[in-house]
Amino acid sequence: YPIYCISFVLNTVMYQEIADSSLALLQHSQVRAMQPLDRIIHETWRVLVNLVYLLQMYMLYYIPMFGAPLYFLHSCWMASIYCFEYRWVHLRWTSNARL
């Protein structure tokens, strides 16, 4: 898990900047930089929410008969959130609006 944590931090730092730049090119607009404190707050909240989702997902797996399908649905739902997350952050949606 240490490698995962390190990659998660690097992802937080670099990938959003790449996504903002590419979306700004597509929209022909300037990138508005997020304040560092706001960025730290939003990313900390995102990490906590993801940890809660992971815990829920693992607890679902232990439900007899329905656990495996619920685990699968929950993991698909988490992957679908990740598909749109960079765009939502670029549009400056709050964490509550993204949920």
Side-chain angles (χ1 to χ4, degrees):
Y1 291 116
I3 298 294
Y4 178 75
C5 293
I6 291 169
S7 67
F8 196 81
V9 170
L10 291 176
N11 178 26
T12 298
V13 172
M14 292 186 288
Y15 280 17
Q16 188 59 50
E17 292 175 12
I18 294 169
D20 283 342
S21 298
S22 63
L23 288 169
L25 283 174
L26 288 174
Q27 297 173 350
H28 303 292
S29 64
Q30 293 291 339
V31 177
R32 296 177 294 152
M34 186 180 274
Q35 297 294 325
L37 182 61
D38 288 340
R39 188 173 178 180
I40 290 170
I41 291 169
H42 285 289
E43 292 303 324
T44 304
W45 175 251
R46 185 173 72 104
V47 167
L48 291 174
V49 168
N50 285 333
L51 285 174
V52 168
Y53 287 159
L54 285 172
L55 288 172
Q56 287 176 349
M57 195 168 63
Y58 287 124
M59 288 189 312
L60 285 174
Y61 190 73
Y62 293 108
I63 297 174
M65 293 180 51
F66 300 108
L70 288 174
Y71 176 87
F72 176 74
L73 288 174
H74 199 281
S75 63
C76 289
W77 181 64
M78 279 187 64
S80 67
I81 288 175
Y82 289 137
C83 291
F84 298 102
E85 187 171 16
Y86 290 113
R87 178 153 175 83
W88 294 338
V89 170
H90 175 73
L91 294 173
R92 302 295 185 248
W93 285 16
T94 63
S95 298
N96 291 336
R98 285 183 265 160
L99 288 177

